[in-house]
Amino acid sequence: WKVVLVWTLSRRSTWGSCTMSLKRLSDSIVAQLRSTYTITSLAQGIEELVLNSIDAQATCISISVDVSKYSFEVKDNGHGMDMDDLKLIGNVWHSTSKCMDEQNPTCTTTNGFRGEALACLASIANVNIVSRAKGSGSSCEKIFRDGKMIRLGSTIHNLHSCGTMISASDMFARMPVRRQSFSAKRELDDVTTRMESFIL
C-alpha cells in the first residue's frame, strides 16, 4: 500500500454550541449516530466489507488504504450484485441476501447477515459501489454523498469480470470529535492485524 500520513490535532471545546432544550434528532443524524456503533474506524469498515466479499464466495480480494483522506477501497471477484440488489443496498437498513428468517441455516454459517455494513458506511462516508453480477455482461453503480444516494444506474467503469468494488472516502467528515481521536499509525496497525487474521 502507498500510504500518506497527514493529520492535525485540535482541542477546542465544543460545549459552547450545545443547547439545554431537548429536540428530536433528524433522521440523518440518527443514522450517523447509529452507524458509529457498527463502524468506528477505517479498519472496521474494511473488515466488514472483506467479510461480505468472503460470503460472496470471492477468491481474490484487494484492499487499498489512504489514511490522509480517511478512505479505502475493497475489490473482490465474488458473485456480484445486479441492479435490483443495488436498489436496496446501502440505503435500506437490514437488507440482506444471507438470512430471511431465523430457521435459515445460513444465519449461522455466514460472517453476518444484518445488512448494515454498507448502510453504515453510506451514513458516515462518501461511498461508491460498482458491481457486476455473475453472468452479466455489464456493471452498474450506486453513489452516496453526505448520507444520500445521488446516482443509481449503469456505469462506464465496467468491471472485467463478476465482482464488486466499493470505495469509501472522507469518513467521519461530519464528526470532528471522532477525527480528533484518529491515529494514523493505530489505524494502519489495526488494518494489518485484522487482515492477517483472515490469512491465518
Side-chain angles (χ1 to χ4, degrees), residues 71-88:
S71 67
F72 62 84
E73 179 183 276
V74 176
K75 183 177 181 181
D76 67 50
N77 65 345
H79 53 59
M81 296 178 285
D82 59 19
M83 188 64 73
D84 288 337
D85 290 333
L86 281 187
K87 287 178 181 178
L88 291 176

Side-chain angles (χ1 to χ4, degrees), residues 29-196:
I29 295 297
V30 170
Q32 289 181 57
L33 295 176
R34 176 174 53 183
S35 296
T36 59
Y37 287 107
T38 302
I39 297 179
T40 59
S41 65
L42 269 71
Q44 190 173 5
I46 292 171
E47 181 182 45
E48 292 284 351
L49 296 188
V50 169
L51 289 172
N52 280 349
S53 296
I54 293 172
D55 283 339
Q57 300 178 351
T59 58
C60 181
I61 305 171
S62 64
I63 303 164
S64 60
V65 185
D66 188 337
V67 180
S68 69
K69 296 180 180 179
Y70 303 89
S71 67
F72 62 84
E73 179 183 276
V74 176
K75 183 177 181 181
D76 67 50
N77 65 345
H79 53 59
M81 296 178 285
D82 59 19
M83 188 64 73
D84 288 337
D85 290 333
L86 281 187
K87 287 178 181 178
L88 291 176
I89 204 74
N91 59 328
V92 177
W93 288 80
H94 305 131
S95 57
T96 179
S97 62
K98 303 173 189 177
C99 181
M100 295 298 105
D101 60 70
E102 64 273 13
Q103 302 302 321
N104 191 329
T106 62
C107 289
T108 57
T109 59
T110 66
N111 290 294
F113 55 84
R114 293 174 300 166
E116 291 183 324
L118 281 171
C120 288
L121 276 179
S123 296
I124 60 176
N126 293 327
V127 175
N128 287 34
I129 306 170
V130 178
S131 193
R132 177 174 173 177
K134 187 175 183 179
S136 175
S138 61
S139 303
C140 45
E141 72 175 352
K142 191 170 191 177
I143 300 175
F144 292 89
R145 293 293 181 270
D146 297 323
K148 299 178 181 179
M149 184 191 73
I150 64 170
R151 173 168 171 72
L152 172 66
S154 58
T155 176
I156 60 174
H157 306 292
N158 195 34
L159 300 179
H160 296 300
S161 60
C162 69
T164 302
M165 179 174 65
I166 300 175
S167 62
S169 62
D170 211 19
M171 287 183 66
F172 310 119
R174 294 175 288 171
M175 301 176 183
V177 174
R178 175 61 55 82
R179 282 200 170 182
Q180 286 177 9
S181 63
F182 185 87
S183 167
K185 183 181 183 305
R186 184 172 63 241
E187 283 291 331
L188 289 176
D189 288 344
D190 195 10
V191 170
T192 301
T193 300
R194 291 175 188 244
M195 295 307 103
E196 285 178 345

